[in-house]
Amino acid sequence: MLRDCQRLLTSLGVLCVTAPGEAEAFCSALNRAGLCDAVVSDDSDCFCYGAKTVLRNFSTDPKNFSVSRYTSSRLQTEVGLSRQRMVVMALLLGCDYNLGGVAGVGREAVTRLFSVWGQPQGQLELERVLAWAEGSLEREAGALVTSKPVHCGVCGHEGSVASHRRAGQRYYDIY
């Protein structure tokens, strides 16, 4: 089906490019470089990859067509979320590369952390998180841990992979 769509778009004069890796990362890089106007995706990691404009929530209902437009500049000015903070948030709460997030850390804790940090400080924020692994910011990292239950890194449901196995559940049975 993908090749058929590509053939159709090419016949209409639309340039089609195949991403060398993850599509959101590639499209976000194109958008960041100004080579396209926006990234169309319902995946929220586009801003972590550096997208400037993301279009989400398309409704194809002919009577009520709608789409939501988000920009990195508005996220920065109105919500205080820089690209680096979105990466930190994704790593702590869970993302494609860390499915369960950090056990015991929830949205409230990340919000508290950002308020303690004050205004976004660029790459320094990622360096601060990396320093936690070395134990140099134990108090700061320790303040994040709340009573959030452990979630399975495979399916995202409450409980560990081991507890799911003990209960006789397979990952696909949980969904």
Side-chain angles (χ1 to χ4, degrees):
M1 184 190 328
L2 182 61
R3 273 184 241 143
D4 290 341
C5 288
Q6 198 169 22
R7 223 178 358 247
L8 173 65
L9 290 169
T10 303
S11 70
L12 294 171
V14 176
L15 176 65
C16 294
V17 180
T18 302
E22 188 171 341
E24 279 88 6
F26 187 68
C27 292
S28 296
L30 292 173
N31 183 237
R32 186 174 62 249
L35 298 172
C36 66
D37 295 323
V39 176
V40 177
S41 176
D42 281 329
D43 202 344
S44 58
D45 62 358
C46 294
F47 286 116
C48 293
Y49 289 124
K52 294 182 183 279
T53 303
V54 177
L55 303 177
R56 300 181 63 175
N57 307 318
F58 271 88
S59 168
T60 56
D61 179 2
K63 295 179 182 177
N64 191 22
F65 178 79
S66 65
V67 65
S68 301
R69 180 178 180 265
Y70 299 91
T71 64
S72 59
S73 60
R74 271 188 76 195
L75 286 171
Q76 171 77 43
T77 57
E78 294 178 22
V79 187
L81 286 177
S82 64
R83 178 181 179 193
Q84 290 73 27
R85 284 199 175 180
M86 285 185 258
V87 171
V88 169
M89 190 169 55
L91 291 171
L92 293 174
L93 298 178
C95 60
D96 292 346
Y97 302 101
N98 184 18
L99 293 177
V102 175
V105 176
R107 284 182 300 223
E108 301 82 19
V110 173
T111 302
R112 240 184 2 259
L113 173 71
F114 291 159
S115 69
V116 167
W117 282 359
Q119 292 298 313
Q121 300 169 8
Q123 285 296 120
L124 292 176
E125 295 178 341
L126 294 175
E127 291 173 15
R128 288 174 90 167
V129 173
L130 291 173
W132 293 345
E134 299 163 8
S136 63
L137 294 174
E138 288 176 7
R139 256 183 285 125
E140 186 176 40
L144 286 175
V145 179
T146 61
S147 60
K148 176 184 171 188
V150 173
H151 285 76
C152 176
V154 175
C155 71
H157 284 84
E158 192 172 323
S160 65
V161 175
S163 69
H164 288 182
R165 285 189 186 132
R166 280 193 299 273
Q169 296 171 309
R170 298 256 187 264
Y171 309 125
Y172 51 83
D173 291 338
I174 297 169
Y175 293 106

